[in-house]
């Protein structure tokens, strides 16, 4: 809140923004009251705290298809608590629908949300999101606007069901399309699977990016405990929506703001929860961007430190056995955090008005097959590892819990694709010079190159190998992957190829070594050869020459810096560059 938003009330307390807006005795107060009353509000309504509800409903976003209903339950809670709910729209970005990628629009959504909050005289805001980039965009906006805020996520889908088996989007989407490509399932079987995977409202029901970001919102303290895992169609999602509406009014009354809640310590909690549940690699980009909005430069090493000290304990796909529906029944994020409590920062404030430790006081863990004990983990380390070496001097990521065991240490010959289109054109060519031990390399799929790092890092297995039974290979790119992906996928390689990073210099036949335990990603080409290649290298033509796309290319930061726009970070970060 800026100084001009503040004004002393009659009791000596700070006057609310909405109160100032509606109680102005002059011309503008008249206009504000008159226009608002025309919508059916009364003088009594205009004396209540004004609660904005950012509703990201869109028919172009399947994950948000039920948000109109959730908004009504939020409004019910706001009215009950003595507030005045006022719904407003923002950009809504649905992962399967936006091309070339939703990552192109995450920063735009953050800007839209921030300016809507700052530009309207609301006293608090409920941020309703769910699909992958919506929650991080809203959290980034909340920090920058710093008006009392609370996150309500839309919840995961029910488990898909087919022939007595549970299915999960999009982990099984990859599997079905892969087997169809290999000729192992028919067109009709593929169609049956399409109809069975997504059988309710909600976002992906595995620990993909949407579920990971919902868990992070809870771990940061920005969502009510238990919010993340409630299935979208479950009546308790409606109860959570009403409770969220009630709680935002309390946050306004207590003047608790996002920067009181989101701190370096609470970000550490979010990282630990991400590692324990083998969450999406996308979470790293988003958490770095969230930290950057605080003026906190979050190094990749911090993720690796926490991962090394955090066992993988959540038995949820794609790294485990179950899905979000079972995680909810096993206590959800509160149960996971209860098991992690000895390693969490328990004194961090949350939107309940209480600390993490106070929220966890009475939490139990009902199912140890879903949430494993710390001393009997599913894996000794967290789900994500940070790799470095001459191929990724600024870091690369791999979800180590989803890698085939025989590929965790591997050396092979590079097969290079120079662009996403080159990959499409050649990966299934029967004459492609590739074998099972090869390392597939995709260039120019990063923030500036693709543009905006689309989720194409799960490079397809070449068809000639697929037909031989190969189902995993080491694959390297400067792209991203869906949190639902699996395999030996090295992503977020920084600096990216499009700015002349080492990835740009890899050629067919080069030897590349992956060693997850040593955190190493090494290109075995001598420095003189790399120097000569760099002299010949030319940057690819930019994808845009105008508009927002050009702004994105010119101002986006690299993956290890969160892919935010440089001008959206506070001066204390910008001035250090």
């Amino acid at each position: 809140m800026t100084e001009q938003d503040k004004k002393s009330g009659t009791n000596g307390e700070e006057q609310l923004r909405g109160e100032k807006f509606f109680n102005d005795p002059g011309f503008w107060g008249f206009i504000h009251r008159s226009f608002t009353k025309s919508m059916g509000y009364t003088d009594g309504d205009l004396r209540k705290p004004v609660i904005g509800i950012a509703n990201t409903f869109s028919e172009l976003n399947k994950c948000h298809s039920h948000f109109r209903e959730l908004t009504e339950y939020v409004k019910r809670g706001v009215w009950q608590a003595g507030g005045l709910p006022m719904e407003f729209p923002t950009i809504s970005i649905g992962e399967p629908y936006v091309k070339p990628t939703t990552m192109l629009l995450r920063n735009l959504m953050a800007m839209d949300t921030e300016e809507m909050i700052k530009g309207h005289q609301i006293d608090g805001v409920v941020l309703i999101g769910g699909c992958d980039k919506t929650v991080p965009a809203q959290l980034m906006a909340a920090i920058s606007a710093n008006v009392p805020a609370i996150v309500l996520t839309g919840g995961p889908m029910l488990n898909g069901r087919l022939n007595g088996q549970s299915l999960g989007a999009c982990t099984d989407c990859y599997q079905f399309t892969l087997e169809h490509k290999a000729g192992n399932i028919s067109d009709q079987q593929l169609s049956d699977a399409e109809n069975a995977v997504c059988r309710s409202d909600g976002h992906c029901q595995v620990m993909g990016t949407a579920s990971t970001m919902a868990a992070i919102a809870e771990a940061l303290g920005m969502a009510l405990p238990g919010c993340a895992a409630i299935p979208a169609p479950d009546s308790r999602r409606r109860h959570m929506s009403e409770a969220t509406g009630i709680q935002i009014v309390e946050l306004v009354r207590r003047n608790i703001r996002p920067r009181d809640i989101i701190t370096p310590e609470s970000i550490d909690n979010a990282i630990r929860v991400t590692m324990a549940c083998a969450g999406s690699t996308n979470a790293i980009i988003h958490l770095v961007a969230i930290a950057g909005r605080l003026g906190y430069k979050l190094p990749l090493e911090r993720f690796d430190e926490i991962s090394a000290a955090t066992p993988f304990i959540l038995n949820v796909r794609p790294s485990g056995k179950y899905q979000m529906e079972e995680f909810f029944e096993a206590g959800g994020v509160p149960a996971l955090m209860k098991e992690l409590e000895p390693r969490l920062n328990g004194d961090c404030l949350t939107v309940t008005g209480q600390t993490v430790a106070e929220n966890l006081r009475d939490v139990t863990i009902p199912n140890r097959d879903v949430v494993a004990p710390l001393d009997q983990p599913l894996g000794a380390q967290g789900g994500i590892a940070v790799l470095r070496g001459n191929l990724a001097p600024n870091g690369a990521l791999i979800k180590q819990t989803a890698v085939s065991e025989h590929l965790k240490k591997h050396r092979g010959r590079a097969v290079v694709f120079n662009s996403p289109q080159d990959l499409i054109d050649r990966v299934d060519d029967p004459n492609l010079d590739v074998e099972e031990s090869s390392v597939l390399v995709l260039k120019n799929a990063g923030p500036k190159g693709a543009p905006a790092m689309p989720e194409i890092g799960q490079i397809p297995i070449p068809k000639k190998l697929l037909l031989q039974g190969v189902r995993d290979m080491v694959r390297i790119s400067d792209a991203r992957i869906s949190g639902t992906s699996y395999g030996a996928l090295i992503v977020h390689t920084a600096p990216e190829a499009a700015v002349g990073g080492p990835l740009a210099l890899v050629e067919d036949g080069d030897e590349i070594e992956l060693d997850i335990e040593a955190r190493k990603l090494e290109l075995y080409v001598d420095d003189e050869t790399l120097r000569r290649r760099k002299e010949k290298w030319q940057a690819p033509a930019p994808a845009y020459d105008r508009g927002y796309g050009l702004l994105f290319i010119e101002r986006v930061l690299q993956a290890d810096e969160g892919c935010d726009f440089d001008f959206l970070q506070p001066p204390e970060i910008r001035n250090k560059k």
Side-chain angles (χ1 to χ4, degrees):
M1 185 180 292
T2 60
E3 287 301 318
Q4 55 263 39
D5 289 325
K6 299 177 181 179
K7 180 178 177 183
S8 180
T10 55
N11 59 359
E13 296 180 355
E14 184 180 302
Q15 190 177 35
L16 294 175
R17 299 169 86 204
E19 184 182 2
K20 179 181 177 182
F21 183 77
F22 286 122
N23 287 359
D24 184 340
F27 171 78
W28 282 109
F30 178 92
I31 293 294
H32 299 155
R33 292 188 295 275
S34 178
F35 275 58
T36 308
K37 286 179 182 178
S38 76
M39 294 187 289
Y41 298 102
T42 66
D43 284 322
D45 295 333
L46 304 188
R47 288 192 288 270
K48 302 176 187 293
V50 181
I51 304 300
I53 303 172
N55 183 2
T56 54
F57 166 82
S58 170
E59 291 181 344
L60 291 172
N61 189 346
K62 170 265 181 290
C63 304
H64 294 198
S65 60
H66 56 307
F67 280 16
R68 283 175 171 163
E69 181 188 32
L70 295 188
T71 299
E72 293 306 311
Y73 284 92
V74 172
K75 288 179 181 178
R76 178 189 292 183
V78 172
W79 283 119
Q80 288 177 10
L84 170 61
M86 303 192 83
E87 178 184 346
F88 65 91
T90 70
I91 291 173
S92 180
I93 45 180
E95 200 67 27
Y97 299 91
V98 173
K99 307 302 178 187
T101 169
T102 54
M103 195 63 184
L104 182 68
L105 300 181
R106 183 203 66 178
N107 295 347
L108 184 61
M109 182 178 175
M111 293 168 68
D112 178 22
T113 306
E114 176 186 347
E115 298 306 327
M116 288 293 287
I117 294 170
K118 287 161 62 176
H120 293 87
Q121 300 303 298
I122 56 177
D123 301 309
V125 62
V126 178
L127 301 165
I128 308 181
C131 197
D132 295 14
K133 309 305 177 295
T134 61
V135 173
Q138 291 173 327
L139 288 168
M140 292 158 68
I143 293 167
S144 295
N146 205 35
V147 167
I150 191 169
V151 170
L152 173 68
T153 51
M157 292 183 272
L158 297 174
N159 291 347
R161 299 292 297 171
L162 182 65
N163 299 326
Q165 292 184 323
S166 287
L167 302 180
C170 270
T171 299
D172 286 306
C173 306
Y174 293 112
Q175 178 184 338
F176 282 114
T177 53
L178 196 69
E179 296 305 326
H180 181 259
K181 180 179 175 181
N184 294 329
I185 64 173
S186 68
D187 292 349
Q188 183 58 54
Q189 287 173 311
L190 187 69
S191 179
D192 291 343
E194 287 176 8
N195 294 331
V197 169
C198 302
R199 68 184 183 98
S200 77
D201 290 332
H203 60 68
C204 294
Q205 64 273 67
V206 299
M207 189 51 69
T209 305
S211 295
T212 302
M213 291 310 305
I216 282 173
E218 258 193 72
L220 286 172
M222 285 295 294
L224 288 176
C227 180
I230 305 171
D234 194 299
S235 61
R236 286 161 287 192
R237 175 64 54 187
R238 298 169 184 160
H239 303 164
M240 178 61 68
S241 301
E242 182 178 299
T244 298
I246 292 170
Q247 192 59 28
I248 186 59
V249 179
E250 180 66 15
L251 291 172
V252 169
R253 288 180 172 143
R254 295 181 58 178
N255 196 25
I256 297 175
R257 305 180 183 225
R259 292 184 197 175
D260 299 321
I261 294 171
I262 304 175
T263 63
E265 291 74 24
S266 70
I267 289 174
D268 275 359
N269 285 347
I271 296 172
R272 200 170 297 279
V273 165
T274 301
M275 296 305 171
C277 66
S280 168
T281 51
N282 288 309
I284 279 70
I285 280 182
H286 299 320
L287 282 167
V288 171
I290 287 165
R293 294 298 183 99
L294 289 173
Y296 169 40
K297 188 170 178 59
L298 179 58
L300 291 184
E301 283 73 16
R302 187 62 184 146
F303 292 92
D304 217 30
E305 290 167 4
I306 293 176
S307 180
T310 306
F312 163 44
I313 61 171
L314 182 62
N315 198 6
V316 169
R317 300 178 74 200
S319 296
K321 174 182 177 182
Y322 299 107
Q323 301 192 141
M324 292 297 289
E325 195 171 337
E326 289 85 6
F327 184 30
F328 168 61
E329 293 167 358
V333 174
L336 181 69
M337 292 181 70
K338 183 66 174 180
E339 184 61 26
L340 293 172
E341 187 173 12
R343 306 185 189 195
L344 296 176
N345 297 305
D347 57 354
C348 290
L349 183 65
T350 74
V351 290
T352 65
Q354 297 183 308
T355 65
V356 168
E358 290 170 329
N359 289 343
L360 295 176
R361 184 174 295 144
D362 298 322
V363 171
T364 60
I365 306 171
N367 188 335
R368 284 301 191 175
D369 195 34
V370 177
V371 179
L374 280 173
D375 59 359
Q376 299 175 46
L378 303 172
Q381 295 185 349
I384 299 168
V386 178
L387 307 172
R388 288 193 186 271
N390 67 347
L391 190 52
N394 291 352
L397 303 179
I398 189 166
K399 185 184 281 191
Q400 59 181 337
T401 51
V403 176
S404 300
E405 194 64 35
H406 71 284
L407 293 176
K408 290 185 176 180
K409 185 173 183 179
H410 179 79
R411 183 164 173 163
R413 180 177 57 87
V415 176
V416 177
F417 302 94
N418 289 308
S419 69
Q421 187 59 51
D422 184 35
L423 174 68
I424 292 170
D425 293 342
R426 294 195 299 119
V427 71
D428 289 332
D429 185 338
N431 296 317
L432 183 69
D433 185 12
V434 65
E435 53 194 21
E436 183 176 356
S437 63
S438 299
V439 175
L440 305 183
V441 176
L442 173 61
K443 302 179 182 181
N444 296 310
K448 294 179 184 288
M453 295 183 75
E455 290 185 344
I456 55 176
Q458 186 157 359
I459 301 169
I461 304 295
K463 188 171 183 177
K464 63 189 293 184
L465 297 180
L466 198 63
L467 296 174
Q468 297 171 21
V470 177
R471 291 297 181 269
D472 198 7
M473 298 175 69
V474 174
R475 288 159 276 180
I476 303 172
S477 71
D478 45 13
R480 296 180 300 110
I481 50 173
S482 167
T484 64
S485 297
Y486 55 88
L489 310 174
I490 300 165
V491 290
H492 302 200
T493 305
E496 64 173 308
V499 298
L503 191 68
L505 309 181
V506 181
E507 295 184 358
D508 285 334
D510 290 348
E511 290 284 323
I512 295 175
E513 183 180 14
L514 164 67
D515 187 336
I516 295 178
E517 185 177 355
R519 301 297 195 260
K520 185 171 74 170
L521 183 61
E522 201 73 20
L523 173 66
Y524 286 96
V525 177
D526 63 86
D527 292 343
E528 178 59 24
T529 301
L530 292 177
R531 185 191 64 78
R532 290 197 301 269
R533 291 180 185 178
K534 186 64 179 285
E535 287 178 351
K536 297 178 182 178
W537 174 80
Q538 292 184 336
Y544 299 99
D545 60 6
R546 62 170 297 280
Y548 175 75
L550 181 60
L551 172 68
F552 186 96
I553 290 172
E554 289 181 342
R555 305 306 291 268
V556 71
L557 297 166
Q558 288 292 291
D560 60 303
E561 300 174 294
C563 292
D564 202 355
F565 290 150
D566 54 6
F567 61 84
L568 292 178
Q569 295 190 320
E572 55 265 39
I573 287 265
R574 296 201 307 268
N575 295 340
K576 289 180 181 179
K577 295 188 184 299

